Amino acid sequence: MSYTQLNMIERCTLAGLHAAGWGDQEIGEYLGRSRTTIWRERKRNRAPHDGHYRAERAQERAVARRRRSRRNGRIGAGQWRRVEGLLRGEPWSPEQIAGYFRETGELKISHERIYQHVWRDRERGGRLWEHLRGARKQRRKRYGRKDSRAGKRAIGERPAEVEERSGVGHWEIDTVHGSGKACVVTVVERRSGYVLIGKLAACTVGQTNGRTQFLMARHRGKFLTITGDNGTEFHGYGELEKGSEVKFYFATPHHAWERGTNENTNGLIRQYLPKWQSMEDLPQKKCDAIAKKLNKRPRKRHAYKTPNECFHRN
């Protein structure tokens, strides 16, 4: 098996889990990487002055090494236009583009280098970044408006058992979008990886709360906490807490690794609901079918038991 370096998302996850006390073996299983890969990453990219591993610094060090490497030849303007055309037109992710070029022999380029190109384009005022997965959620942020989440609980206030995944009942929540207004809300249990998926006609507070309450009702007594991001669709979290035992927590802005379970599960859901596909006609029955398939998929971190088994045995 060939070795590939970690990307920025994996480095952020590694840093967060390592700071939480996870070992290299545990982190490797969580990321689908070998223990040696995690050990090598921490050793090569740790800060020289204090030995700590920081994701952004690690990314900078790795990128600098690649720039110095003779294996990274120059990519011409015409080749970049080809990459940009696939980002805009298909639209493909940087991973898909790099993989396609690798298989066809058209161009030798890594997905990390494509990401670097996109971010440089953004710094110059370009809009390539809008075609990346997750860009829609970033654009939904509305600055200058009153924040209705006053008094919200920060992720650092969660009970220790949430961080340690020592019991079932602690969930992460997010929304996954397609090409139109319709989307889905995903709720994933942290210990087992058990997922619930609900159809939303639009990404509004009312739609999100209504569908989330519908999903929660299926497993009464198994919702103790929910951790979400800072999207406006979760501003009505107080309604979810009313009449239930659940307490809602908010992750730190731009710290996706704090909800790594949800981020990884959303990646699996994309196999069934690609970002270019409209979800307008997606029925709840199809959402349930996708969740059922994912919950019956064996997971390496559970010694190849399924999320369904791990969730219901508790």
Side-chain angles (χ1 to χ4, degrees), residues 38-47 53 61:
I38 303 302
W39 176 84
R40 182 191 297 119
E41 169 64 22
R42 291 199 302 103
K43 181 179 180 181
R44 294 184 72 191
N45 293 323
R46 62 191 177 189
Y53 182 89
R61 291 170 64 86

Side-chain angles (χ1 to χ4, degrees), residues 2 15 18 60 105 111 124 163 211 226 253 278 287-288 296 307:
S2 61
H18 181 66
E60 292 173 357
H111 64 274
R124 295 191 295 265
E163 299 296 329
R211 186 59 67 177
I226 299 177
S278 171
C287 294
D288 293 339
K296 292 175 66 177

Side-chain angles (χ1 to χ4, degrees), residues 144-213:
R145 295 185 178 180
K146 182 179 179 180
D147 190 346
S148 61
R149 292 167 291 135
K152 67 179 183 180
R153 299 183 190 87
I155 193 169
E157 300 176 47
R158 296 188 308 188
E161 68 177 80
V162 183
E163 299 296 329
E164 298 167 358
R165 302 173 191 262
S166 58
V168 167
H170 305 289
W171 303 72
E172 296 176 9
I173 191 169
D174 199 4
T175 49
V176 176
H177 296 256
S179 62
K181 291 183 178 180
C183 59
V184 296
V185 60
T186 64
V187 195
V188 189
E189 204 282 317
R190 282 174 53 82
R191 179 179 173 85
S192 64
Y194 188 84
V195 62
L196 302 171
I197 306 174
K199 162 70 179 294
L200 303 180
C203 192
T204 64
V205 170
Q207 285 278 324
T208 303
N209 278 1
R211 186 59 67 177
T212 303
Q213 289 170 333

Side-chain angles (χ1 to χ4, degrees), residues 34 42 44 50 81 88 135 141 151 214 253 264 282:
S34 70
R42 291 199 302 103
R44 294 184 72 191
D50 60 7
R81 284 195 294 271
R88 291 191 178 100
K141 181 78 172 173
F214 167 79
N264 290 335
L282 177 70

Side-chain angles (χ1 to χ4, degrees), residues 12-26:
C12 288
T13 304
L14 190 162
L17 296 180
H18 181 66
W22 287 37
D24 292 346
Q25 182 70 35
E26 295 175 297

Side-chain angles (χ1 to χ4, degrees), residues 84-234:
E84 292 173 4
L86 293 175
L87 278 171
R88 291 191 178 100
E90 292 301 330
W92 288 2
S93 70
E95 288 85 356
Q96 290 171 321
I97 294 171
Y100 173 76
F101 285 157
R102 183 169 56 251
E103 291 298 318
T104 61
E106 180 178 344
L107 176 64
K108 186 175 182 181
I109 188 172
S110 67
H111 64 274
E112 290 95 342
R113 194 164 186 186
I114 297 175
Y115 276 113
Q116 293 164 22
H117 178 74
V118 171
W119 298 132
R120 283 195 297 269
D121 175 77
R122 184 180 183 181
E123 290 172 358
R124 295 191 295 265
R127 307 185 72 90
L128 275 176
W129 66 275
E130 294 183 353
H131 299 277
L132 295 178
R133 174 185 167 191
R136 178 181 299 273
K137 178 169 290 184
Q138 294 172 2
R139 293 199 301 274
R140 289 204 315 275
K141 181 78 172 173
R142 297 292 186 268
Y143 295 96
R145 295 185 178 180
K146 182 179 179 180
D147 190 346
S148 61
R149 292 167 291 135
K152 67 179 183 180
R153 299 183 190 87
I155 193 169
E157 300 176 47
R158 296 188 308 188
E161 68 177 80
V162 183
E163 299 296 329
E164 298 167 358
R165 302 173 191 262
S166 58
V168 167
H170 305 289
W171 303 72
E172 296 176 9
I173 191 169
D174 199 4
T175 49
V176 176
H177 296 256
S179 62
K181 291 183 178 180
C183 59
V184 296
V185 60
T186 64
V187 195
V188 189
E189 204 282 317
R190 282 174 53 82
R191 179 179 173 85
S192 64
Y194 188 84
V195 62
L196 302 171
I197 306 174
K199 162 70 179 294
L200 303 180
C203 192
T204 64
V205 170
Q207 285 278 324
T208 303
N209 278 1
R211 186 59 67 177
T212 303
Q213 289 170 333
F214 167 79
L215 297 174
M216 291 171 60
R218 294 180 173 180
H219 300 286
R220 296 188 184 278
K222 285 203 170 184
F223 276 82
L224 302 178
T225 70
I226 299 177
T227 302
D229 67 10
N230 290 270
T232 56
E233 66 269 35
F234 302 126

